Amino acid sequence: MEAIYTVLGFTYELELSTRPAKYLGELEVWDDAESRLKEALDGSGATWQLNPGDGAFYGPKIDITVHDALRRPFQCATIQLDFQLPIRFELTYNAPDGTEKRPVIVHRAILGSIERMTGILTEHFAGKWPFWLSPRQVMVVPVMPMFNDYATELQRKLHLQGIVIDTDLDDGSTLNKKVRNAQLAQYNFIFVVGEKEKTSGTVNVRTRDNVVHGEFSVEDITEKLIRLRDSKSNVDVLE
């Protein structure tokens, strides 16, 4: 959980949700489960708060609330102990001492629902997905139709390296319009290519925020993008 939320750039808070007013099972089983979860939370070294009476009807749980870039809270992950289903299904296992024991089911959801987490991440990044997560990483923009073939070849080469890359081959659009369209579509990087770039095997790189990085060889920019992707950095820095 910590690894996932840290790489996504979230901070989070932990709560121990205890026995609700209406619950299943024996009181001593609940007390034991809550005690074990308290020990786990204390052992984690993280700060946590008690959330009395908000557990599931079948067991206590640890609720994780994440905070996005604007410090808005979202309850996503949860870890729940379920003592009731093993009883109802009469589940047992053979312990090392040869006796039969009753297992405990652990319900664990790290992201919650994928759809909800995608919405939270979209809000968190304000629609500007970091390169490693972005569905629109690179747009190649030829300055004239005669350079469409070079743009298509660039797309092929970077696609083979696992880069999500598109080309704007609309001959009816101006260069400025193509670049602007790519920026509005939140492509992390825009490659502008013309006569100079085709001749020297390079690309001219700018970002969706209109930061101009300048000219790079195809090999150099490919290596930089692969490093950026594999670093899982939430800041698009070419190194």
Side-chain angles (χ1 to χ4, degrees):
M1 183 194 70
E2 182 178 356
I4 291 174
Y5 284 156
T6 299
V7 78
L8 292 174
F10 286 128
T11 58
Y12 59 89
E13 296 176 350
L14 303 175
E15 291 184 337
L16 174 58
S17 298
T18 58
R19 185 178 65 255
K22 296 182 179 180
Y23 62 92
L24 293 178
E26 302 297 329
L27 184 59
E28 58 269 21
V29 174
W30 274 87
D31 290 341
D32 181 56
E34 291 174 5
S35 175
R36 290 175 183 270
L37 287 182
K38 287 179 183 178
E39 290 178 7
L41 287 168
D42 289 336
S44 71
T47 56
W48 58 276
Q49 295 179 340
L50 195 63
N51 186 18
D54 202 38
F57 68 91
Y58 50 78
K61 59 180 180 174
I62 298 173
D63 287 325
I64 296 93
T65 301
V66 301
H67 296 272
D68 68 5
L70 298 179
R71 298 297 300 164
R72 293 172 296 189
F74 299 93
Q75 200 277 311
C76 293
T78 184
I79 302 170
Q80 304 174 0
L81 294 187
D82 185 349
F83 292 89
Q84 307 310 316
L85 280 181
I87 295 173
R88 293 190 170 209
F89 287 116
E90 299 181 352
L91 302 179
T92 60
Y93 69 95
N94 291 323
D97 61 4
T99 60
E100 286 192 346
K101 302 287 187 181
R102 184 80 68 190
V104 175
I105 293 177
V106 178
H107 301 270
R108 188 187 74 154
I110 298 300
L111 298 180
S113 75
I114 297 298
E115 295 83 2
R116 185 164 181 267
M117 177 55 73
T118 301
I120 293 170
L121 284 170
T122 302
E123 292 281 343
H124 180 56
F125 294 122
K128 294 186 175 183
W129 293 82
F131 186 79
W132 72 280
L133 281 176
S134 179
R136 295 174 173 174
Q137 294 179 330
V138 178
M139 172 65 81
V140 185
V141 176
V143 299
M144 296 177 66
M146 66 180 66
F147 305 114
N148 286 356
D149 289 345
Y150 181 57
T152 302
E153 178 62 16
L154 285 173
Q155 181 187 27
R156 186 191 68 81
K157 286 182 178 180
L158 270 73
H159 177 73
L160 291 175
Q161 299 300 320
I163 304 298
V164 182
I165 181 169
D166 297 309
T167 55
D168 188 342
L169 305 181
D170 182 2
D171 298 339
S173 295
T174 64
L175 171 62
N176 287 339
K177 184 177 181 181
K178 289 181 179 181
V179 170
R180 184 58 179 160
N181 286 343
Q183 290 173 336
L184 291 175
Q186 299 301 334
Y187 282 87
N188 300 69
F189 297 101
I190 297 104
F191 293 175
V192 178
V193 295
E195 179 65 40
K196 179 183 178 183
E197 288 77 20
K198 181 179 180 180
T199 301
S200 57
T202 60
V203 295
N204 202 291
V205 182
R206 66 182 63 194
T207 72
R208 58 191 166 195
D209 297 319
N210 211 33
V211 176
V212 179
H213 286 292
E215 196 172 350
F216 296 88
S217 69
V218 175
E219 293 76 14
D220 190 20
I221 194 63
T222 301
E223 291 177 1
K224 290 179 181 295
L225 291 180
I226 290 174
R227 281 199 299 270
L228 177 59
R229 179 195 64 197
D230 294 346
S231 72
K232 293 184 171 59
S233 172
N234 292 329
V235 181
D236 291 345
V237 177
L238 294 175
E239 296 179 342

